Each structure stands twice: as structure tokens, then as C-alpha cells.
Amino acid sequence: MEALLSLAFDNLSSYDGAKIRKGLRQVEGLLAQICLSRQKSTPAEKRRSVVAPGSAQPAPKELACLKEDPAFREFFKLQEGFECNCASPLFAASAGKLSAPTLCTNGEEAVSLEADFNWGYPELIRVIRPDGQNDLLILSTLDLIQGILLLHPPSRALFAREIYMNLFLDLLDDGNCPAIQCTTLLTLVCALLDYPSNTRTFEELDGLLTVSSLFKLRSTSREVKLKLVEFLYFYLMPETPSLPSAGHPVIALQRSPSKLAGAFNRGNSRSWDSEGHSNTRTTEEKQAMLGRYLNNVEDLVDDLRESAPFGTIAT
């Protein structure tokens, strides 16, 4: 596994679009082996999969089983070290593609890229710029970053640093295609989840102004505005200072992939500043901050409490 990750990182650091694609596939293949069940197929089922590829997708593993899987435990252990942590190389690949010239030189390769990766926004892929091969690579990279941050929550600590958080804000620029904007918002949620210090960095870099400005633009697509509203619901949730400890019942680990860190007996100091003060904010505090840029934030909070999309919150 360590050798495969090293090879993937070498490919991701390349300026060659084909090598970057290969590196993304290698990381994606490793995550698929960890997260998807391996079921024995009969010869007839194998023949059907060749005739109709994609008709029988492997089922995802149950979370309770995943934390006991030796491959996952090895992967988690490798992510603890700098040499094999996936988040940094994927971030570097995204940052490089933001400033790099077009990496693919023909339309056929762009079509192949679109077929290789499934981001869940097929209706938005059509509006990618004609020279948007880099956009396709950025989308697949963001997709993998989401998976890494959910499987290895401690990697989210990277996004307390301005250089990492700024990448998300750059990707939310109104000049980027709707698919990138939507996928960036989902990846941003994965980076902020259970990490209040990351949310403080997002606020300090005028992240609220960025998302509010994008929401107000008439040119912003309906799909992106819906994702922005979902993000604001998430942002307005009250923050909790810590994750469950390893001594808590296993059922607590089954609610969200973010709780997997508790299975490895990790401490949690990210919710406290250097002087020992809590780094969390209440819904009311965040409502006041968001109200500087948007009207009717109170209606959002009332709807959040009434509909409880993420569970009941304190009133």
C-alpha cells in the first residue's frame, strides 16, 4: 500500500495530464478496495458485467465493519505520517491545475476524463468551458479529497492553514464552472466538519463574504445557489467542542464517517485555542456574522430549527 501511494504521488506531482489522471485512478482504486465489498461473482455474472459495465456496482462496506478492516487500519495508520498522507498531494495537484495551462490537447481525452469519473453533476458537466480539461481533473481531485477527509478526519487539520483554505475560496470564484463550485462546497463541508478551528480560518479569510457574494450574483446557476443554501444550513449549526472518545459505544461511530477517528483513541485539542479557550461558536454568533452579508438570516435559522436537516439543535 505504501509503495502504491508513493507511485500515485509521483504521478500527481507531474505536469503531464495523463500522469495526473493515472495518479488519481491509483488513489481512487485504493479507496475503492478499502470501502467497497468484494463479492465473489459467478462466471455468468462476470460475463454480464463485461456486456453491461457498471450494471452491478460493489456494495459499500458497513461502517462498523470498516473500522475493523485490516486494510483500512493500515491505510489510516499510513495517513498519520507525512510521507503517505493523501490530502497534501491532492491539494497540490488541485492548486497546480488552477494555474497550469491546459493539460489535455484533444477533445477525445476530455470525453474520456468525463467518462472515467462520476461526480454526481452530469447536468453541470455540459457547461464546462471548451478548454476545461483542467476543470475535469480538478473535479476528480476534489472528489478524492472528500473521501480522504471522511476516511481520515485528522487530515482536516490541514485546512486550518490559510494556504489550504484559500484554495477552496479560489475555486468558488464566479469564473469557475458550476460543477466545480458545487463540488467545492461539498469538499468544504468535509473540511469543516467537526473542526471548529477550520471554520474560524474560513471566517477570517472572508469565506462568508465569498459564499454570500456568489449567492447574490444573478449569473450564479440555480444548482449552485441550492448548494450554497445547503452549505449555509451546515455552517449555522452549533459547534461541538470534541468528538466521542474511544470508550464510547460503537453505535456512536456509526452515525458519520467523521466519527471513525474515535476508534483509534485520538485526542482532540482542535476546539481550543493556545490559551485554553473554547474555539467554538453558537448558532446565534454565526447568525450575527452571516447577517453582515445576507438579509433574512433569521429565517434560515428558524427553518434550520424547524426542519432539522442535520438533527435537532438546541434552541
Side-chain angles (χ1 to χ4, degrees):
M1 187 181 293
E2 186 173 355
L4 175 60
L5 286 174
S6 178
L7 181 60
F9 297 164
D10 287 343
N11 287 323
L12 288 172
S13 64
S14 172
Y15 288 101
D16 184 347
K19 286 188 176 180
I20 294 177
R21 285 180 60 193
K22 184 176 181 180
L24 293 172
R25 283 175 172 171
Q26 288 167 330
V27 176
E28 182 185 40
L30 177 60
L31 297 184
Q33 290 181 24
I34 293 172
C35 298
L36 300 180
S37 300
R38 297 194 199 111
Q39 299 177 343
K40 294 183 179 180
S41 302
T42 64
E45 290 173 334
K46 290 181 179 179
R47 286 194 295 272
R48 281 197 296 270
S49 67
V50 172
V51 174
S55 58
Q57 296 293 334
K61 295 177 182 176
E62 294 290 335
L63 185 59
C65 300
L66 184 62
K67 70 184 184 67
E68 300 296 339
D69 184 276
F72 170 72
R73 298 183 76 88
E74 176 64 19
F75 173 78
F76 196 100
K77 180 180 177 181
L78 287 173
Q79 295 310 291
E80 299 290 273
F82 174 79
E83 295 83 358
C84 292
N85 185 274
C86 293
S88 294
L90 289 170
F91 165 83
S94 294
K97 288 190 284 289
L98 275 176
S99 58
T102 299
L103 297 174
C104 306
T105 58
N106 59 73
E108 291 182 1
E109 188 166 3
V111 173
S112 175
L113 275 168
E114 184 174 338
D116 283 343
F117 301 102
N118 175 23
W119 306 287
Y121 299 108
E123 72 282 1
L124 300 182
I125 296 299
R126 301 192 197 101
V127 299
I128 288 179
R129 297 185 296 273
D131 62 344
Q133 291 89 348
N134 277 0
D135 293 354
L136 294 167
L137 289 171
I138 289 172
L139 283 167
S140 59
T141 304
L142 288 172
D143 194 40
L144 289 176
I145 291 176
Q146 291 176 31
I148 294 296
L149 296 182
L150 291 174
L151 285 172
H152 185 253
S155 289
R156 296 175 199 161
L158 288 171
F159 295 93
R161 298 175 58 187
E162 293 185 3
I163 186 174
Y164 290 90
M165 186 60 69
N166 264 324
L167 174 67
F168 288 147
L169 302 183
D170 289 342
L171 290 172
L172 289 175
D173 186 270
D174 62 322
N176 284 318
C177 68
I180 283 183
Q181 294 168 342
C182 286
T183 308
T184 298
L185 287 166
L186 287 176
T187 313
L188 183 57
V189 167
C190 294
L192 300 184
L193 187 63
D194 288 333
Y195 271 68
S197 57
N198 295 4
T199 306
R200 303 292 81 80
T201 301
F202 170 78
E203 294 164 344
E204 290 165 6
L205 294 175
D206 288 331
L208 291 175
L209 175 60
T210 299
V211 297
S212 300
S213 299
L214 185 61
F215 184 80
K216 291 177 181 178
L217 283 176
R218 297 183 65 179
S219 59
T220 301
S221 71
R222 179 176 177 273
E223 291 83 0
V224 174
K225 289 191 175 185
L226 287 174
K227 288 298 176 185
L228 285 166
V229 171
E230 291 175 1
F231 173 78
L232 292 176
Y233 278 136
F234 167 80
Y235 170 76
L236 288 167
M237 287 289 292
E239 298 165 0
T240 54
S242 63
L243 288 173
S245 66
H248 281 224
V250 173
I251 189 156
L253 302 175
Q254 296 177 349
R255 296 177 187 168
S256 164
S258 68
K259 302 300 186 289
L260 283 169
F264 295 85
N265 195 27
R266 292 193 57 91
N268 181 29
S269 60
R270 62 183 176 274
S271 300
W272 310 91
D273 62 21
S274 58
E275 298 180 355
H277 301 137
S278 176
N279 200 23
T280 61
R281 284 192 172 133
T282 65
T283 294
E284 289 72 21
E285 290 173 323
K286 292 193 282 188
Q287 175 183 342
M289 295 181 66
L290 184 58
R292 302 172 190 169
Y293 311 107
L294 288 177
N295 298 322
N296 302 321
V297 179
E298 184 177 354
D299 293 339
L300 275 177
V301 174
D302 291 342
D303 187 47
L304 178 65
R305 289 194 169 114
E306 182 178 347
S307 59
F310 308 109
T312 303
I313 67 173
T315 56

